[in-house]
Amino acid sequence: MKSAAPIAAVLASAASTGWALVLPAADANRGCSNVSHDVLGNSFCREVEQITYTGLAHKGSYQAVTSMGDSADQCGRQTKEYDAPLGVFEEELSIHIRGPFKLNQMAVYNFGCVNETWHRVSYYNASTQEADNLVFLGNYGGQGSGEFDFPPMIYEYMQVVGLADRTIVFDAHSVWGNSLSYINADATAGSETPEILADVEIPSNKEFAVFSGQKCNGACGFSRVEDVAYHGFGGGNKAFLFDFQMPLDNTTGFNADMPALWALNANIPRTAQYNKCSCWPTCGEFDIYEVLASGDSRCKSTFHAARRGGTSDYFARPSGHAIKIAVVFSAKAEAVSVRVLDYGTVFGHHFTDATVDGWLEGPVDRTAVSTFRVTE
Ligand SMILES: *[C@@H]1O[C@H](CO)[C@@H](O)[C@H](O)[C@H]1NC(C)=O
Ligand SMILES: *[C@@H]1O[C@H](CO)[C@@H](O)[C@H](O)[C@H]1NC(C)=O
Ligand SMILES: *[C@@H]1O[C@H](CO)[C@@H](O)[C@H](O)[C@H]1NC(C)=O
Ligand SMILES: *[C@@H]1O[C@H](CO)[C@@H](O)[C@H](O)[C@H]1NC(C)=O
């Protein structure tokens, strides 16, 4: 169990950027008197309704992928530097979801410095099938869009048994598996063209990703398949609202009944989410709501990057009913906050800065609020 952030540090950095938000000092160094561990060694402390992370501000670098060749050792890389109040998390993020998961609504907001307002840049509504400036992708390359080739281990096996050179498929590409692709409306397979996610429950061990609706057109750096390369959600001040449920499906096996909602540096899936030729983990992953064991009713959050860590405090898995949450990335406050919202919150076109600051700051009653400082 790591101790929570000294709030003085938060206030000091806030003062240096002119940020006026004051987080009550009561959260500082809150100990966990009752930590428990699951069989995998994950620790759990207490259920909360808000978690605020600090400590992300720093200057660093990662090895960005610049090319993917025809063999597993042909993964070109180049150092990419960053220096920002939220570190690498100010870069573009893609949103990732694993079932069992029912996404009802999702909205993305950016902060406009000119009018000091948070304006909605992307929106999805399952029941009305509205999908404004976002695209649903998955790792189904080869099924209508994207690319497929064989993972190195299978290729090596085929070479050993003497089949590699007899199979035409192996001649062209034979290393990287499935690339990103468009997905069908049920998020269960690939598709030739973009489709709007239907009003469905995503089953266990199925995943999909959400990117902005803006094609990269070469402007995102290297992507394995440029045809399905879309921008993520960038900037230091961005907020994501989700309306979702994580029903129990009671299945067992790999990734079964283990829903998750997380964000990745969008460069990761654009090259390879599940093989070595990506900038993961240094370029950034934020697990927002992740169930770590089949059928568990607790959702943890963790940062994986040069600055990393996660609190042992957890959110209740919304298995029986949908909830709404706000995930606020605030360069202004040098903090990232995940907060359960009143279910009456409407995902409208605008929010005032005061409203979003309120989500970041949390309620006056601190009993269900956790703070955590990530470190190197
Ligand atoms: C400690 O945690 C367990 C569950 O892990 C819970 O049943 C128990 O009530 C907790 N005790 C206190 C004093 O909070
Ligand atoms: C979007 O979906 C929710 C239910 O999931 C519904 O209550 C709401 O009215 C819809 N919003 C809009 C703007 O259509
Ligand atoms: C604020 O500015 C953004 C562009 O930066 C614009 O999209 C939005 O409509 C503006 N909001 C208001 C309330 O004027
Ligand atoms: C899974 O189990 C829970 C509680 O035991 C139950 O409420 C739920 O209906 C079950 N779900 C399915 C899909 O069987």
Side-chain angles (χ1 to χ4, degrees):
M1 165 67 196
K2 291 172 188 135
S3 63
I7 220 72
V10 180
L11 297 177
S13 64
S16 71
T17 55
W19 173 56
L21 195 63
V22 176
L23 299 171
D27 298 332
N29 300 315
R30 181 194 291 279
C32 184
S33 54
N34 190 23
V35 68
S36 66
H37 298 272
D38 66 9
V39 288
L40 301 168
N42 300 305
S43 56
F44 297 89
C45 188
R46 66 198 173 101
E47 185 182 316
V48 294
E49 297 199 339
Q50 170 155 8
I51 298 172
T52 301
Y53 284 95
T54 60
L56 291 158
H58 75 128
K59 183 177 185 326
S61 67
Y62 64 87
Q63 294 297 302
V65 171
T66 53
S67 63
M68 295 170 84
D70 288 339
S71 67
D73 57 0
Q74 291 177 17
C75 175
R77 291 182 186 265
Q78 193 171 43
T79 302
K80 189 173 179 202
E81 296 184 339
Y82 58 85
D83 181 7
L86 295 182
V88 77
F89 290 90
E90 298 200 16
E91 293 196 358
E92 294 184 3
L93 303 177
S94 47
I95 296 298
H96 298 261
I97 286 170
R98 180 172 69 217
F101 198 106
K102 173 70 178 53
L103 181 65
N104 298 323
Q105 289 184 86
M106 169 178 162
V108 186
Y109 296 81
N110 282 338
F111 180 70
C113 290
V114 179
N115 54 19
E116 301 258 301
T117 298
W118 291 75
H119 55 279
R120 199 173 81 186
V121 291
S122 296
Y123 179 66
Y124 165 70
N125 190 311
S127 59
T128 62
Q129 286 291 285
E130 188 179 349
D132 177 22
N133 191 34
L134 42 75
V135 65
F136 300 96
L137 302 178
N139 292 310
Y140 297 100
Q143 299 180 12
S145 54
E147 280 179 5
F148 172 76
D149 59 21
F150 287 85
M153 276 175 65
I154 295 179
Y155 184 56
E156 279 159 25
Y157 174 76
M158 298 300 273
Q159 282 180 312
V160 169
V161 299
L163 286 174
D165 58 349
R166 286 193 229 161
T167 316
I168 290 165
V169 193
F170 289 124
D171 287 345
H173 305 279
S174 38
V175 268
W176 307 115
N178 299 93
S179 72
L180 277 180
S181 68
Y182 296 119
I183 54 171
N184 66 14
D186 292 339
T188 52
S191 162
E192 220 168 293
T193 52
E195 294 193 31
I196 298 174
L197 182 69
D199 194 359
V200 291
E201 180 183 325
I202 308 306
S204 272
N205 200 25
K206 290 284 181 198
E207 295 183 13
F208 69 94
V210 186
F211 286 70
S212 84
Q214 310 295 315
K215 275 204 154 187
C216 287
N217 293 323
C220 302
F222 175 77
S223 299
R224 181 174 166 204
V225 182
E226 201 58 46
D227 281 352
V228 290
Y230 285 79
H231 281 280
F233 304 101
N237 295 293
K238 56 196 169 210
F240 299 87
L241 299 191
F242 298 96
D243 172 352
F244 69 103
Q245 189 175 345
M246 294 173 155
L248 286 159
D249 72 4
N250 308 322
T251 57
T252 55
F254 180 71
N255 271 351
D257 210 0
M258 269 176 56
L261 166 64
W262 72 107
L264 292 176
N265 185 312
N267 286 318
I268 297 170
R270 280 192 301 247
T271 59
Q273 193 177 342
Y274 290 113
N275 72 51
K276 282 187 295 187
C277 198
S278 87
C279 54
W280 186 88
T282 334
C283 62
E285 164 171 352
F286 178 37
D287 299 326
I288 301 167
Y289 249 75
E290 182 179 26
V291 171
L292 296 168
S294 295
D296 199 26
S297 59
R298 299 167 296 189
C299 299
K300 287 195 71 176
S301 59
T302 308
F303 276 91
H304 301 274
R307 295 285 174 99
R308 57 190 174 273
T311 172
S312 298
D313 295 334
Y314 55 87
F315 296 108
R317 173 175 173 172
S319 52
H321 58 87
I323 59 166
K324 290 178 179 171
I325 65 165
V327 185
V328 180
F329 289 79
S330 176
K332 295 190 290 168
E334 296 189 6
V336 175
S337 176
V338 183
R339 160 125 191 230
V340 179
L341 297 175
D342 184 306
Y343 199 67
T345 307
V346 175
F347 294 7
H349 286 277
H350 300 279
F351 285 108
T352 64
D353 202 23
T355 300
V356 177
D357 273 354
W359 295 338
L360 199 62
E361 188 177 356
V364 176
D365 177 0
R366 309 306 284 172
T367 48
V369 179
S370 179
T371 60
F372 188 89
R373 187 172 181 84
V374 297
T375 54
E376 265 165 61

